[in-house]
Amino acid sequence: MDTLQIKNILSEFQLGKLAMEEVIDKLRVLPYEDLVYAKIDHHRMMRQGFPEVVYCEGKTVQQVVGIMEHLTGLNRNILATRASCEMFEAVSKIIPDAHYHELPRLITVEREKRAVDEKRFILVLTAGTSDIPVAEEAAVTAEIMGNDVKRVFDVGVAGIHRLFAQHELLEQANVVIVAAGMEGALASVVGGLVAKPVIAIPTSVGYGANFGGLSALLSMLNSCAAGVAVVNIDNGFGAGRLASIINNMR
Amino acid sequence: MDTLQIKNILSEFQLGKLAMEEVIDKLRVLPYEDLVYAKIDHHRMMRQGFPEVVYCEGKTVQQVVGIMEHLTGLNRNILATRASCEMFEAVSKIIPDAHYHELPRLITVEREKRAVDEKRFILVLTAGTSDIPVAEEAAVTAEIMGNDVKRVFDVGVAGIHRLFAQHELLEQANVVIVAAGMEGALASVVGGLVAKPVIAIPTSVGYGANFGGLSALLSMLNSCAAGVAVVNIDNGFGAGRLASIINNMR
Amino acid sequence: MDTLQIKNILSEFQLGKLAMEEVIDKLRVLPYEDLVYAKIDHHRMMRQGFPEVVYCEGKTVQQVVGIMEHLTGLNRNILATRASCEMFEAVSKIIPDAHYHELPRLITVEREKRAVDEKRFILVLTAGTSDIPVAEEAAVTAEIMGNDVKRVFDVGVAGIHRLFAQHELLEQANVVIVAAGMEGALASVVGGLVAKPVIAIPTSVGYGANFGGLSALLSMLNSCAAGVAVVNIDNGFGAGRLASIINNMR
Amino acid sequence: MDTLQIKNILSEFQLGKLAMEEVIDKLRVLPYEDLVYAKIDHHRMMRQGFPEVVYCEGKTVQQVVGIMEHLTGLNRNILATRASCEMFEAVSKIIPDAHYHELPRLITVEREKRAVDEKRFILVLTAGTSDIPVAEEAAVTAEIMGNDVKRVFDVGVAGIHRLFAQHELLEQANVVIVAAGMEGALASVVGGLVAKPVIAIPTSVGYGANFGGLSALLSMLNSCAAGVAVVNIDNGFGAGRLASIINNMR
Amino acid sequence: MDTLQIKNILSEFQLGKLAMEEVIDKLRVLPYEDLVYAKIDHHRMMRQGFPEVVYCEGKTVQQVVGIMEHLTGLNRNILATRASCEMFEAVSKIIPDAHYHELPRLITVEREKRAVDEKRFILVLTAGTSDIPVAEEAAVTAEIMGNDVKRVFDVGVAGIHRLFAQHELLEQANVVIVAAGMEGALASVVGGLVAKPVIAIPTSVGYGANFGGLSALLSMLNSCAAGVAVVNIDNGFGAGRLASIINNMR
Amino acid sequence: MDTLQIKNILSEFQLGKLAMEEVIDKLRVLPYEDLVYAKIDHHRMMRQGFPEVVYCEGKTVQQVVGIMEHLTGLNRNILATRASCEMFEAVSKIIPDAHYHELPRLITVEREKRAVDEKRFILVLTAGTSDIPVAEEAAVTAEIMGNDVKRVFDVGVAGIHRLFAQHELLEQANVVIVAAGMEGALASVVGGLVAKPVIAIPTSVGYGANFGGLSALLSMLNSCAAGVAVVNIDNGFGAGRLASIINNMR
Amino acid sequence: MDTLQIKNILSEFQLGKLAMEEVIDKLRVLPYEDLVYAKIDHHRMMRQGFPEVVYCEGKTVQQVVGIMEHLTGLNRNILATRASCEMFEAVSKIIPDAHYHELPRLITVEREKRAVDEKRFILVLTAGTSDIPVAEEAAVTAEIMGNDVKRVFDVGVAGIHRLFAQHELLEQANVVIVAAGMEGALASVVGGLVAKPVIAIPTSVGYGANFGGLSALLSMLNSCAAGVAVVNIDNGFGAGRLASIINNMR
Amino acid sequence: MDTLQIKNILSEFQLGKLAMEEVIDKLRVLPYEDLVYAKIDHHRMMRQGFPEVVYCEGKTVQQVVGIMEHLTGLNRNILATRASCEMFEAVSKIIPDAHYHELPRLITVEREKRAVDEKRFILVLTAGTSDIPVAEEAAVTAEIMGNDVKRVFDVGVAGIHRLFAQHELLEQANVVIVAAGMEGALASVVGGLVAKPVIAIPTSVGYGANFGGLSALLSMLNSCAAGVAVVNIDNGFGAGRLASIINNMR
């Protein structure tokens, strides 16, 4: 609810079109839709430029379908993360143009292709092949939010020449996302090479003293390279969202 | 065993109705029922105003059925938590009026509707839709213990106007329960808005560095808002029980 | 800012006493005082019934003095926690009636003795002698907020008859606070005996696998007794504040 | 290999019955049987009074069968822990008198009933019903090693009178084993009541901030009652073994 | 308060020497002395055969002095642990025969030399020289409680022949205490050699991934040798106390 | 060493001005200065637009002075972090225009005031007063790298209206830095309000279950608001550096 | 890409066989093969003497097959770790001479038997039978890289004579690998006996406070025996690889 | 005690020069010197080629002096680690040729310069300047054990060209030691470049989520580069010792 809306409400009140109680009500209730089990934040589109994204884990299939249905009513493009195959099948019955990305487990509905500035692209790197699902979550997220994304997979530090061969892409990219598990060293090496925002995603790839991604997480937080920021373990969506915000700054 | 009971025993002893050995016995053995695998604490009804609640996890189906059977013999209302569907089916064969709450996995037997003071209600909030099962465990627990409960789901801080829209309920509530996973910030925000007891339940909703609910737990324990107390991760029952105790204080 | 205040503002606006811009301003800016390094939340007195409490750790002596000075200007009773001796000395120069509680490291200014209902008292228990500083933080907090407090120290479970000797106090108390370090078992035992709110404070008393209070914290969070809620390690203030809120409910 | 055996070897050497190389060999190779995947420590019977106990987890069915077969050849009584149902079935084909204890997942072969001193019994307590499988592992272990064992289940501190009702057993027992999950407070309470060895087994019963038994483990390690020692989480076998050693001291 | 005492009370009641209220009182109040900041458990001498031991950490000098003074009034032998030099000096002013053990930081008062059975001795081993202070806490504790103690220091597994040279002592000892830091392997090796109770004390000796004794603690809890029980990190007192209890069993 | 430099080297080689060995050498050795104890990365200015920043912790005073001396020789503006007072005094003897920022413990040398675009400012928020030193580290870092910075301190969620009063600044800022300790909830609330990059700095402000900043760190990593990235605990420098990179993107 | 290759490129450039752009390209792009989802590091054979090893966990069956197919095209011997049975079946369809090692879950292709120096063998020890799968991963890795390997299983410290019986093998071995779970004490004991490189592999064998191998890991890191180095929990491959490197040093 | 010694003993026995009891004694007691507080393992020189190294932390000054005195009696070269300045001063009074290395806190006595093969050198790398003390502990340890050591400091991945400039040293070295704090990425990068043993030392350099070296430790354990083994945090001695063992293999 922006200042303009407040002005309009007050004007109507001044003109007697609204009673005092109505004004109080309106000032209090910002726009969202209440499904009891979920309050869909339609205001988010205005506030943040993209509708609320549905985090599917822990929701029932019915809840996911219900939320998706209401979101599609008011928005052109929608994203749901961590969706099971079963959820997608139920959603696609009521939203036939929904699309399922199997590896990153995303559901997208894209009815309006956003214009993309190809000179400003986001580069998504992975250290290994096993990090691809998380990287794809980041890449698809950034794409549906209107960004050009380039992917380079499997350039971890055990064979560091594979990374250096990408130096042109590194130099041209506007924002870099690095997804790496195990010791997550790739983020520090990339952060030391470029002067751009580097968003590091620790992945849970690994075993033993990796403790579900903790090793890569701590590694990235302690990066000796400045300019590296970190999101949650396996949080491809968060990295893609932040990269998109930065990439669209002018 | 309260003072009155001790007086009675001593009187009977003084009158010669009880031998010394019998008195010693009675003073030692407070009332509980021994099923070998469980000692049902019938005294708890007297001591705490509600019969022993059955925690089903780790028990066999037969044990749950046995304990429920003995509890129903002496009590009007019973609660069993973390019950599987299979347990409920076995229980319902001998207690046909048992009811299963699927989301929070509770079994209730409610033969005596307790009088409820609707002016004193407990408000149960969740940050997201995925926190609802835990919140329901709290809500149903409080209801069967004789409280009016109002539920408001999905008002997490990512769209904080959804919370502020509930300000009237927040002002009217007697006790507030907040169930939140991920970073659990909702508890602090609510704690900063009201001057009532806020019982925070960290939930295990989330992934990665959430470490099974640890992030929300630490967050809530470190709340900068005074007046917030915390129960175990996903412990809806504990929160509901404590809220009921507080709500019934005069 | 409550509904009444909003009504007044809108009335003045309707009467032409306030311009639209002024109303917008007033609706947005709730009252606080800005010292640059701190924004004193004078609104808190209205919102929560007690002025903002000063957490001194990590603040400079000058900052503590400055905040205390501004708080005393508008409030009768003030509380500052985790204050060093040096801070107190600087404060007492400008607030001569400030009082220092050495063990719990509190500064209090109490100009208005709040009426206390002696029938509704808060009972503060400790497991050992070393837990007394934390318990005193809770007790003094509750006292300055207008509660009668009774203290019973050193009744840990290694000599459990010392606790049972207090059964009358336990039965009469309205709210119970339990401060315990090491294994923190006292909270569970008390929680199993009474049907009142039990607020458990894990203390950092102990060594080795106590890990700075972690053992007592986990112990209390996992209490098998329902009706127990937990605050942060050594957080006497939080427990005292919550106990006061509960104790003043009617 | 005790001093007597060394003397015999040296005597034979002196008498020319053994060559120097043979003596060196014998002094080096203590008796065990080599199955390649396992070296069965037949010497343990002599060294510790009970044959090697088979820890089945992580072994293949074939390995368990092979080890059991060789152990039965030389010993009267055998114990295997953490055995699956499938393992038992395979074992019982070659050792028909093997017995399976379903709850604690033990296989026993008991061909020689050891004499038991009933005046010196081991008391096994649990805090709850869900702790019974671990407690049974301790109890059966102690029984096959020649001890009288008494069991009292479900006497946790949430209803502490259930424990006090057992005071006679507590006074008569020679060694006490306490199995408790959640906050594990029972160990401290028992340790404070008696002056006997208390062996505490933290169990993984619980959820959330119980972290797989960590809460009970830390609780028991930090017990304010002296005379309590702790074994690994869910390690019923270790507790039973130690209790047996202590109980057989004269 | 044992059965005999209860019988006496009831007899006096029957004879009219005690009023009902007095009986109730006596049955409830077990004997302890209340110094407000401490409740001295004089009953412990009867219950556990040794008076309450004073844990000095976190207590003020005045509190330690006060408690020691009251304990000496009723007991012959006293022990205080984790006492600073300053505490000892204050104590020795009122208890001139108090003795300070500098390395283990113990204060002892020993007015009655307990008879010791030299055939039943406790063996205290350390892995290194740096573990000696903890080992001495255990040894002195066991000595004042009436045990013969033998010490063998610096026999860690990096030079395992130093341990094997002690095999006669190992065979003769009744109970073995092992204090070891770093990886704590000595406990497992000893536990594998003997069939006696082995009480393992993890010490905080070490650095880095030793995490304040955690490495030795986990190592000892996971010992592959049965018959090993563990006390808290650096808890020499607890180990000495338990060893004494076991050593005095008949 | 960019493509242009390689081209030049190869041209000189083709022209016979460089021998093959010289080319190999040049291609391998990128420019840095070797002080034995440090290799000053003069190339960083070219690669990342700001000279190497000196992390002083763990270095000797002599080492800091030596590195600073060499850096000033080739650069206009320099930054050293976590510098002690003693280090500054030694540095200022050879670099008289060095400046010490006491709260954030920074040394700056600023000989060339960079042009600043005031329409694109970085907003630095803190939850409390105790978070100011960390926030200042971020702010001064961003300033010396050529950014306009606005500071708003003490707007934590316990009095959330203090934050909402800043909504205009929030709307105008280009990048937002949030420094918060305890439960770190401010980052999520800000992240939910704006559609800009939010860089969250967990601080070690707090006690008990804050575990040196872990609670705020986990909280921020698990933020339910997208668009939030996290740096190391107390890492004001890293946040300031990243904010500067983002703020200077066009 | 070694110096020789650079010289050749530059010579060709000098001779006019290569254009400048081609040289720049060649200098930048070291040889690897790009399958999009994986960049096969064919250079590793030259750099490290063995082709890239395929870590199968987290890869799809198709990805594993694709990578194996490309690797076999250029190499004689190949190794894939943590391969499922299903992966092997798919691989064997296109590489019929692939071999599956079920226990350690390895796929090997061995077309060129490397010459082995039998005087220099690697000794692989396990503490128990359950550690064999990890030990086999190490052993097979070392074998395919051209080493003679001897295995001795189940010589843990609970029956330490089983280890001492192997003293000749210990004396003859060139490198020793120790795989042990639970408390991992075997590594320290072996490290104290020999003056050779001891590579310790903590395994996840155990339960409870073993925390997935953490106990053995910390134990081995804190070994009081010098000359012991540690790899990740269950990382047989890493240990085998390092042992092979050391064993092939001259 | 090697086979030769056993043969000699047995020969003397056969010849009647030794009685049976004497043989048994000799076979049991391997040579060490007993100072009560320490058992000096003189056998270690024979077993491992270097006398016992004195770990000073936790020892008293007197103990260190005593042990050093006895060691110098029988050995030419001695090493003591983690020695305080005060310890050195006391030692130098009785061993005037002792030398103190201030940064790594080592005391060395070197009376016999071991012959060094300069073609086989150990390369010690650090990521930063603050890692030098740990690196020096490794370097000096390797030197006194008879190795040529080369040092290259401050080549961390934030300026990776500084590392690549050392490629000749990397290629020539026989063994590489990498000391790195923060995220410890240098170990992985080096491990990916060379085919030699890489011994990684995580250092405690860093702050916040570095948790005393945990981040570097986990990072190095999870290295994606094979051939990397890890020692304890800050354990320069262990790394130097292992490098020396490997470097002296033929």
Side-chain angles (χ1 to χ4, degrees), chain B residues 7 19 46 60 70 79 86-87 125 159 175 180 207:
Chain B
K7 283 193 180 169
M46 287 178 280
T60 63
H70 282 82
L79 176 64
E86 186 197 357
M87 286 169 178
L125 304 175
V175 184
Y207 58 90

Side-chain angles (χ1 to χ4, degrees), chain H residues 174-248:
Chain H
N174 211 32
V175 184
V176 184
I177 292 174
V178 177
M182 295 178 174
E183 90 282 55
L186 185 59
S188 286
V189 173
V190 170
L193 289 175
V194 300
K196 350 208 145 188
V198 175
I199 305 172
I201 320 173
T203 74
S204 54
V205 168
Y207 58 90
N210 143 300
F211 295 122
L214 183 65
S215 60
L217 172 63
L218 293 186
S219 189
M220 288 166 167
L221 285 169
N222 285 281
S223 176
C224 56
V228 176
V230 186
V231 295
N232 194 1
I233 297 164
D234 291 336
N235 186 6
F237 162 67
R241 171 73 182 137
L242 176 56
S244 173
I245 291 175
I246 297 174
N247 198 42
N248 285 294

Side-chain angles (χ1 to χ4, degrees), chain E residues 164 183 188 209-210 219 222 224, chain G residues 164 183 188 209-210 219 222 224:
Chain E
F164 293 146
E183 89 282 54
S188 286
N210 144 299
S219 189
N222 285 279
C224 56
Chain G
F164 292 147
E183 90 282 55
S188 285
N210 143 301
S219 188
N222 285 281
C224 56

Side-chain angles (χ1 to χ4, degrees), chain A residues 28 30 37 39 47 57 232, chain B residues 129-130 153-154 158 161 167 209:
Chain A
R28 272 186 193 131
L30 282 160
Y37 58 81
K39 311 224 166 341
R47 205 167 70 239
E57 215 150 275
N232 194 3
Chain B
T129 302
S130 309
F153 297 150
D154 197 23
H161 59 286
H167 78 111

